[in-house]
Amino acid sequence: MGLAKRIIPCLDVKDGETVKGTNFVNLRSAGDPVELGKAYSEQGADELVFLDITASFEGRKTFTEMVTRVAAEINIPFTVGGGINELADVERLLYAGADKVSVNSAAIRRPELIDEIAHRFGSQVCVCAIDARLDADGMHNGSSDGSLWHCYLKGGRERTERGLFEWAHEAQERGAGEILFTSMNHDGVKTGYANEALRELADNLSIPIIASGGAGAREHFRDAFTLGHADAALAASVFHFGEIPIPELKKYLREERINVRI
């Protein structure tokens, strides 16, 4: 059955509370990050991701004290992202209790950051998060070949000319240990993950690919693994609002012959 697939709840945090939106906008409250993190750890989540979603846009550092509080309540690997621009930020978050850091905007602006993190702390610490959108020009041309998946900065506010696939490949070459790919088109829409793009990433890279954006039903997780060839599936609202309990999801995936840790 191969390596176990991972189920990863994501806490998008803004102003000290967990929030969730659709296509990166229209945020609504989803509860206390510390309580949610503890609950997910107890329910059998494989890892937890904590993203300070306005840190890069607001030009400030991730809320370190909250990272410490979450880390104290969980016993699963913990990835933290948002506003990480230099090695000192990584060191601060690892000291606060993170196991890995997620870099996004800063890595696109200065790709050497990935080399520096991997060299100093090891590739396993460096998750390269990529927020990408299949833009209207691509959809108008009927193209889904990847050339028109544009990477975005600052929580989806700023488009770059970097393409998803070439940037993911460069991140791997520079030493990233995993790629966390969020399809902005699918985010919060609950119609399934971007499985074609996921499969292209997974089949052409040698590091794990985490699927993000689009989970709305148990079948969507199955499809991310079987059709998208993802190594892990990340979701937020379906977990935060109790729509898909993690133990139930893992039982279903086992029944679908997908190797998950129960």
Side-chain angles (χ1 to χ4, degrees):
M1 292 173 81
L3 286 176
K5 303 294 188 180
R6 291 170 286 151
I7 300 298
I8 307 177
C10 180
L11 305 178
D12 291 330
V13 176
K14 180 178 189 288
D15 303 326
E17 68 175 1
T18 309
V19 295
K20 187 61 195 128
T22 303
N23 303 127
F24 281 46
V25 294
N26 301 324
L27 302 178
R28 59 177 174 149
S29 175
D32 177 66
V34 181
E35 289 176 13
L36 281 170
K38 182 179 182 182
Y40 292 141
S41 182
E42 291 170 349
Q43 287 169 23
D46 296 294
E47 299 190 15
L48 186 69
V49 169
F50 174 109
L51 299 176
D52 188 332
I53 59 171
T54 55
S56 291
F57 176 65
E58 294 170 1
R60 60 177 170 76
K61 305 300 186 187
T62 303
F63 196 12
T64 315
E65 184 228 350
M66 186 170 286
V67 171
T68 304
R69 288 169 54 214
V70 174
E73 297 290 347
I74 66 175
N75 57 6
I76 53 177
F78 184 29
T79 301
V80 179
I84 297 169
N85 298 299
E86 56 189 3
L87 286 181
D89 297 329
V90 180
E91 203 154 20
R92 175 170 51 81
L93 292 168
L94 294 177
Y95 185 74
D99 299 289
K100 311 179 204 178
V101 296
S102 165
V103 290
N104 189 335
S105 300
I108 289 185
R109 283 195 294 261
R110 192 173 71 83
E112 298 78 22
L113 180 62
I114 294 174
D115 304 71
E116 293 166 6
I117 295 170
H119 179 72
R120 175 79 174 274
F121 302 105
S123 288
Q124 78 284 353
V125 164
C126 185
V127 178
C128 182
I130 304 176
D131 297 332
R133 182 195 291 276
L134 184 60
D135 283 320
D137 47 3
M139 290 188 275
H140 177 70
N141 294 333
S143 167
S144 60
D145 66 358
S147 58
L148 295 149
W149 277 96
H150 289 99
C151 299
Y152 278 69
L153 302 178
K154 296 181 179 177
R157 291 174 178 82
E158 187 179 304
R159 174 170 144 166
T160 75
E161 290 313 304
R162 297 298 308 252
L164 166 63
F165 301 108
E166 53 101 2
W167 170 233
H169 185 266
E170 181 178 336
Q172 172 181 277
E173 295 306 297
R174 288 183 176 276
E178 294 181 278
I179 299 291
L180 167 53
F181 161 52
T182 301
S183 165
M184 293 172 61
N185 307 76
H186 295 73
D187 175 69
V189 181
K190 299 186 178 180
T191 54
Y193 293 93
N195 292 317
E196 278 184 36
L198 278 169
R199 186 169 60 248
E200 188 161 340
L201 287 168
D203 290 355
N204 288 287
L205 297 179
S206 59
I207 57 177
I209 307 298
I210 303 169
S212 170
R218 299 178 306 176
E219 293 78 11
H220 297 154
F221 291 87
R222 176 199 64 198
D223 292 347
F225 298 134
T226 58
L227 304 177
H229 299 175
D231 299 277
L234 177 147
S237 58
V238 292
F239 296 146
H240 300 341
F241 302 115
E243 295 161 36
I244 303 178
I246 290 173
E248 190 181 288
L249 172 61
K250 287 192 162 188
K251 182 172 179 287
Y252 164 79
L253 291 171
R254 267 288 174 91
E255 289 167 356
E256 293 289 317
R257 302 188 58 75
I258 292 164
N259 183 16
V260 290
R261 292 185 191 88
I262 299 290

